[in-house]
Amino acid sequence: MEEANLGDVADPLGGSYYLERLTTELENAIVKVMDEVDKAGGAVKAIEDGLIQRVCARGAYERQKKIDSGERVWVGANKYVSEGEEFDVKLHEYDPTLQQRQVQKLNKVRKERDNSKVQTSLKNLKEAAVSGVNIVPPTLEA
């Protein structure tokens, strides 16, 4: 029997309109969130202001609403549930002081760091990115 050449195997989803549409929808949603973060002043500022946490919480809330309503199927949770089966699930407790502690840590780092060295390393990183050279060394430096 002759071995199949993987280059000759057809991709069953290749060119699938449905798959392409889903990919485009996902890409558009990602770009929308990225634009929102940029408008908020960048990732660090968005984290400091709680935007990232709100976006994540909003997404989790919307997903859970769809699961609870049955609009989104979650096998074993809201569809095809085995009767009498119990699970010991530990929920993650949200610590409302976490954000404040992280901002304090960030402010401490900013206060204690050598800002001239930071500016130099960021300048080197930008120059590397613009020139097209390997940006790993300047990224690690930064």
Side-chain angles (χ1 to χ4, degrees):
M1 182 173 229
E2 200 174 307
E3 286 186 32
N5 179 348
L6 292 181
D8 295 337
V9 177
D11 179 0
L13 298 177
S16 164
Y17 169 77
Y18 179 68
L19 189 60
E20 294 296 326
R21 192 187 93 223
L22 290 176
T23 302
T24 300
E25 287 176 9
L26 180 60
E27 181 182 353
N28 290 340
I30 291 168
V31 168
K32 182 179 175 185
V33 171
M34 289 171 58
D35 288 344
E36 193 175 341
V37 168
D38 283 344
K39 287 177 188 170
V44 172
K45 181 84 168 103
I47 292 168
E48 288 175 347
D49 293 345
L51 173 65
I52 301 296
Q53 296 86 336
R54 286 192 304 276
V55 168
C56 290
R58 183 177 57 222
Y61 172 73
E62 292 299 327
R63 180 175 183 219
Q64 190 61 49
K65 276 187 8 183
K66 288 179 180 179
I67 290 168
D68 291 347
S69 72
E71 180 182 346
R72 181 182 179 123
V73 173
W74 186 355
V75 174
N78 69 350
K79 187 91 169 172
Y80 310 111
V81 180
S82 298
E83 295 300 322
E85 197 172 9
E86 292 187 23
F87 298 96
D88 184 23
V89 177
K90 304 286 187 221
L91 297 178
H92 174 73
E93 293 294 323
Y94 172 72
D95 180 357
T97 66
L98 181 64
Q99 177 185 352
Q100 181 182 14
R101 290 194 323 255
Q102 287 299 104
V103 169
Q104 288 172 345
K105 284 181 188 179
L106 179 61
N107 288 335
K108 182 179 181 211
V109 167
R110 286 180 171 168
K111 182 179 177 184
E112 296 175 356
R113 72 184 178 191
D114 181 349
N115 284 318
S116 64
K117 190 173 181 180
V118 169
Q119 293 305 315
T120 301
S121 63
L122 290 174
K123 180 179 172 248
N124 293 341
L125 176 59
K126 182 177 182 180
E127 288 172 358
V130 169
S131 68
V133 299
N134 183 356
I135 64 167
V136 173
T139 299
L140 294 175
E141 177 191 335

